Amino acid sequence: MRSPTKEQVQKRLSRIEGQVRGLSRMVEEDRYCIDIITQLSAVRAALRRVEEEVLKDHVGHCVEHAIRSGDAEDQRRKVAELMEVIVRSER
Amino acid sequence: MRSPTKEQVQKRLSRIEGQVRGLSRMVEEDRYCIDIITQLSAVRAALRRVEEEVLKDHVGHCVEHAIRSGDAEDQRRKVAELMEVIVRSER
Amino acid sequence: MRSPTKEQVQKRLSRIEGQVRGLSRMVEEDRYCIDIITQLSAVRAALRRVEEEVLKDHVGHCVEHAIRSGDAEDQRRKVAELMEVIVRSER
Amino acid sequence: MRSPTKEQVQKRLSRIEGQVRGLSRMVEEDRYCIDIITQLSAVRAALRRVEEEVLKDHVGHCVEHAIRSGDAEDQRRKVAELMEVIVRSER
């Protein structure tokens, strides 16, 4: 991952870690289930945004590298990996 | 799309068309809402499988073609399109 | 389902049926895979909107009926069905 | 939330917190993007399971309470909240 993305992703992950800790506290304090569920969804959405960010960096960097190299085998591997991500996220 | 996929996809699409017509009938006959919803989900899942099939053919054929051609510009376009599909399916 | 929803849902379903037929044509005419995939997603989104509409009617009508009846057993069944829909749609 | 669910959920959340910290480490150590993305998906799936668990407890406990009370207004509120969860999770 390139430096600016890396920093950005680290910042987001530490915010997410805080949100997960916050969720533990909500459970501890017997907060209303629906509020907990809403917050769980929010954390999932935040993780999805990290996923997108990492993926964009991957394409702009690693996949781009495979394209520039002209190495067909490497390109096939990269595309197969993207396909995996698609099929998985469809579920 | 290559011939075997094309036939397979056509067959699936005509089955889906029949399922959608079946849904109209269910609504017409005042069938229970939850049964209609279950069937709506089933049709969505069937469409998702078609999507996956088309995508696999696309990667095995069009993307493979871009890889073999060694045309970096075309490869970049293909990857950008796959990214679009990923980002959209994440929602 | 109540009449206005029924009509609305029928209209949407016949539009969706047309879209599925349009997809068959796209495949037949060897249209670009990514355009087909985009259209497949659009149809799935349209089905999801129908699902939401049926569900809202169900809650406003059948579930409301169970609430008014004061029949606890029926209410439990209705809630269990909603849970099924949630668990399924999470996948 | 009832005690057994509460404990179970707390256990899962602290495991998830560890996984998020693990993700930070993966980013720090420049691990391969696709491995990071795979792990991000795994954490999202784990959160979804927590969501399901909280929801089941909610229905078995709070919604059941509304059913037993015979309080129609409370029942309507509970159903409206479940609908919110459904509509949100469909996106």
Side-chain angles (χ1 to χ4, degrees), chain A:
Chain A
M1 224 178 286
R2 286 164 297 187
S3 281
T5 314
K6 215 169 140 171
E7 259 173 60
Q8 188 59 33
V9 165
Q10 293 284 32
K11 220 179 285 176
R12 283 180 193 265
L13 284 174
S14 76
R15 208 175 310 138
I16 288 167
E17 201 193 314
Q19 287 177 302
V20 176
R21 249 196 314 272
L23 273 161
S24 277
R25 238 177 352 255
M26 286 176 86
V27 173
E28 197 47 52
E29 297 167 355
D30 289 312
R31 294 279 292 280
Y32 188 47
C33 300
I34 295 291
D35 294 338
I36 294 173
I37 288 165
T38 303
Q39 185 57 14
L40 282 162
S41 293
V43 178
R44 280 206 286 137
L47 282 165
R48 211 181 300 133
R49 282 190 293 274
V50 176
E51 222 172 299
E52 249 177 72
E53 205 163 352
V54 176
L55 201 56
K56 269 177 195 152
D57 187 88
H58 174 65
V59 165
H61 186 56
C62 312
V63 178
E64 177 60 27
H65 184 267
I67 290 173
R68 289 201 186 177
S69 73
D71 177 345
E73 241 357 275
D74 194 24
Q75 290 168 4
R76 268 181 207 110
R77 202 164 19 213
K78 292 288 177 284
V79 167
E81 287 168 354
L82 289 180
M83 277 295 291
E84 271 294 293
V85 173
I86 293 175
V87 169
R88 208 169 42 208
S89 75
E90 294 268 309
R91 268 143 231 297

Side-chain angles (χ1 to χ4, degrees), chain D residues 18-85:
Chain D
Q19 287 177 303
V20 175
R21 251 196 313 273
L23 273 161
S24 277
R25 242 182 343 261
M26 286 176 85
V27 173
E28 196 46 51
E29 297 166 356
D30 289 311
R31 295 280 291 278
Y32 187 47
C33 299
I34 295 291
D35 294 338
I36 294 172
I37 288 165
T38 302
Q39 185 58 13
L40 282 162
S41 292
V43 178
R44 280 206 286 138
L47 281 165
R48 212 181 299 133
R49 280 189 295 273
V50 175
E51 221 171 301
E52 250 177 73
E53 204 162 356
V54 175
L55 201 56
K56 269 175 196 155
D57 187 88
H58 175 64
V59 165
H61 186 57
C62 312
V63 178
E64 178 59 27
H65 183 268
I67 290 173
R68 289 199 186 180
S69 73
D71 178 346
E73 242 354 279
D74 194 24
Q75 290 168 4
R76 271 182 204 107
R77 203 165 18 214
K78 293 289 177 283
V79 167
E81 287 168 355
L82 289 180
M83 277 295 292
E84 271 294 293
V85 173

Side-chain angles (χ1 to χ4, degrees), chain C residues 11-51:
Chain C
K11 221 181 284 176
R12 283 180 193 265
L13 284 174
S14 76
R15 209 177 308 137
I16 288 168
E17 203 194 312
Q19 286 177 303
V20 175
R21 252 197 312 273
L23 273 160
S24 277
R25 242 181 345 260
M26 287 176 84
V27 173
E28 196 47 51
E29 297 166 355
D30 290 311
R31 295 278 295 277
Y32 187 47
C33 300
I34 295 291
D35 293 338
I36 294 172
I37 289 165
T38 303
Q39 185 58 14
L40 282 162
S41 292
V43 179
R44 280 206 286 137
L47 281 165
R48 211 182 300 133
R49 281 190 294 273
V50 176
E51 220 171 302

Side-chain angles (χ1 to χ4, degrees), chain B residues 19 22-23 26 34-44:
Chain B
Q19 287 177 303
L23 273 161
M26 287 176 85
I34 294 292
D35 294 338
I36 294 173
I37 288 165
T38 302
Q39 184 58 14
L40 282 162
S41 292
V43 178
R44 280 207 285 137

